[in-house]
Amino acid sequence: MPAAGGRGAVRLGRDGGLSSLAVRDFRLLYIALFGTSVSYQLQRTIELWLVYGITGSPLLTGFTGLVRGAATIVFALAGGVVADRIDRRRFVILTAYVNALITLSLGTLALTGLIRVWHIYLAAFVNSTLTTAAGPARTAMVPGLVPRELMVNAFAQIASARKLSQLVGPAAGGLLIAVAGSGWTYGVACLIYIVAIPITTCIRYESGPLDREQSPVQSLLEGIAFIRRNSLIVVLLVTEFAAVFFGSYRALLPIFAVAMGFGAGGLGILLSAPALGSLLGVAVVMWLGNISYKGLFVAFSVMAYAGCLFGLAFSPWFLSSVAILFVVGIFDALQAVVRQVVILARTPDNLRGRAASFQRMLGVGAPSLGEAHSGAIAALIGAPWTLMVTAVVCIGLTAGLVVKRPDLRDRDL
């Protein structure tokens, strides 16, 4: 729990807008999260550009997602267990230190001309592992920083920080690569990690009672058992998998950027467009508040998201592609934030770290694996047909869940 004078000192107003950011320690968490998320997006942009530039292969470019996805899938659940067993703030700081060293090493290799594809894959795996481990710990800190009545607003703000980083990071990355090169762009990513460390240190937070009575294996099995007992949570996680795995498109964007005659700057704009749309989507969710039929809202947002991929496949112009990706981002945020609110509302406090790790495993790991999946298919049938095929699968799977599960259509979900 936070020290005296933290969340309790804030006069609470209407639960909306920027209310959770009025809490000092949550505001510091938000700033640090935004910074490290920007650095993460810078790294993702550089590695996509470097691997495609070195190899010219959609398959090997997609493998960057496979590497990151494998790390997320393998270590996400372990990260949830860690988040419920150790000092969360110190653990987040430690991961920032190591990530700074990774980006510094890659920047040095790029500046000296010694960087190779295997360096990028290895660094991506380690960076994704650390980010995956720190994610549940950071998420589990939120209830200890804001009053319960501001939790929905706080988690919407967390989503906005990540979406804003997805807007700023790729656009800045593409511009920095074009102007200064990949090496110096890695240097900027390193500097951001370093700045985030003292900001996180200033957060007045102490982990509450930690789950140290059980062994790590028992803690993990308890989290898995909780998810299995709550079949509706499983269904909501499946809708997330449908969107982020079958609807994965990021690894195809370098192909579209090059085909349309744009370089790294164009790729950065394409990568940033969905994030700009996501910011609008988050704002819409905050404006709508506690909506009815949340399950249907999630399902139809997923299907609309997939439907937009058809438009991207047929888009003949760069600006129309940017506009379509903007709309993709809107529907992505709509379904993601509402799903997270439903799952958190059904999860006890002492299991939040592990519940967050399940969501991160799908929300971050599945898209990365989806990049490898889409890259492999694109190597066989081309990028446009890949988008169309995977969109059909996503829509079909989600529609089937709506028909099969009446609780997903519950008005009061």
Side-chain angles (χ1 to χ4, degrees), residues 96-165:
Y97 269 118
V98 180
N99 276 324
L101 291 174
I102 291 171
T103 51
L104 178 62
S105 300
L106 284 174
T108 302
L109 289 171
L111 287 172
T112 56
L114 299 176
I115 197 164
R116 299 292 182 266
V117 171
W118 73 266
H119 295 144
I120 300 170
Y121 287 160
L122 177 60
F125 182 84
V126 177
N127 173 248
S128 187
T129 298
L130 293 169
T131 303
T132 296
R138 187 182 288 109
T139 300
M141 287 175 64
V142 174
L145 298 177
V146 298
R148 183 174 294 274
E149 56 267 35
L150 291 183
M151 275 184 57
V152 172
N153 183 273
F155 279 107
Q157 295 295 349
I158 291 293
S160 74
R162 292 195 172 104
K163 298 303 181 183
L164 185 59
S165 73

Side-chain angles (χ1 to χ4, degrees), residues 5-310:
R7 68 181 185 181
V10 177
R11 179 179 295 178
L12 301 178
R14 182 173 57 88
D15 182 12
L18 304 178
S19 53
S20 58
L21 290 176
V23 182
R24 171 196 178 273
D25 296 301
F26 176 76
R27 185 167 62 250
L28 292 176
L29 179 71
Y30 178 95
I31 294 169
L33 170 63
F34 173 69
T36 55
S37 297
V38 167
S39 188
Y40 180 87
Q41 293 299 327
L42 285 175
Q43 291 171 263
R44 294 288 287 116
T45 305
I46 302 167
E47 67 192 31
L48 285 172
W49 183 250
L50 279 178
V51 173
Y52 189 66
I54 293 170
T55 67
S57 168
L59 179 62
L60 294 179
T61 303
F63 275 178
T64 61
L66 177 62
V67 170
R68 286 187 174 274
T72 301
I73 295 295
V74 171
F75 293 105
L77 299 183
V81 172
V82 170
D84 291 333
R85 296 177 65 87
I86 69 170
D87 187 296
R88 292 160 180 159
R89 183 173 63 93
R90 291 182 181 178
F91 184 62
V92 170
I93 292 169
L94 175 63
T95 59
Y97 269 118
V98 180
N99 276 324
L101 291 174
I102 291 171
T103 51
L104 178 62
S105 300
L106 284 174
T108 302
L109 289 171
L111 287 172
T112 56
L114 299 176
I115 197 164
R116 299 292 182 266
V117 171
W118 73 266
H119 295 144
I120 300 170
Y121 287 160
L122 177 60
F125 182 84
V126 177
N127 173 248
S128 187
T129 298
L130 293 169
T131 303
T132 296
R138 187 182 288 109
T139 300
M141 287 175 64
V142 174
L145 298 177
V146 298
R148 183 174 294 274
E149 56 267 35
L150 291 183
M151 275 184 57
V152 172
N153 183 273
F155 279 107
Q157 295 295 349
I158 291 293
S160 74
R162 292 195 172 104
K163 298 303 181 183
L164 185 59
S165 73
Q166 292 168 12
L167 169 66
V168 174
L175 180 61
L176 285 169
I177 292 169
V179 173
S182 299
W184 289 110
T185 307
Y186 273 126
V188 172
C190 176
L191 180 62
I192 294 173
Y193 276 125
I194 292 172
V195 171
I197 291 170
I199 294 175
T200 307
T201 303
C202 290
I203 297 174
R204 294 172 296 192
Y205 174 86
E206 294 181 7
S207 297
L210 299 174
D211 184 15
R212 289 173 175 165
E213 295 182 1
Q214 295 178 316
S215 71
V217 173
Q218 288 174 323
S219 295
L220 176 60
L221 292 177
E222 183 185 22
I224 294 173
F226 169 76
I227 297 296
R228 290 183 61 185
R229 287 194 306 269
N230 290 267
S231 62
L232 182 59
I233 292 180
V234 175
V235 170
L236 289 169
L237 292 175
V238 171
T239 65
E240 183 163 13
F241 178 81
V244 299
F245 181 80
F246 293 109
S248 181
Y249 57 85
R250 286 174 61 90
L252 305 179
L253 295 185
I255 302 171
F256 286 109
V258 172
M260 293 177 183
F262 290 85
L267 173 62
I269 293 173
L270 290 176
L271 289 169
S272 296
L276 183 60
S278 293
L279 286 173
L280 178 58
V282 169
V284 169
V285 171
M286 295 175 68
W287 176 74
L288 291 174
N290 188 31
I291 61 173
S292 301
Y293 298 106
K294 293 183 180 69
L296 287 176
F297 187 90
V298 169
F300 285 115
S301 295
V302 170
M303 289 189 280
Y305 165 94
C308 291
L309 298 182
F310 281 99

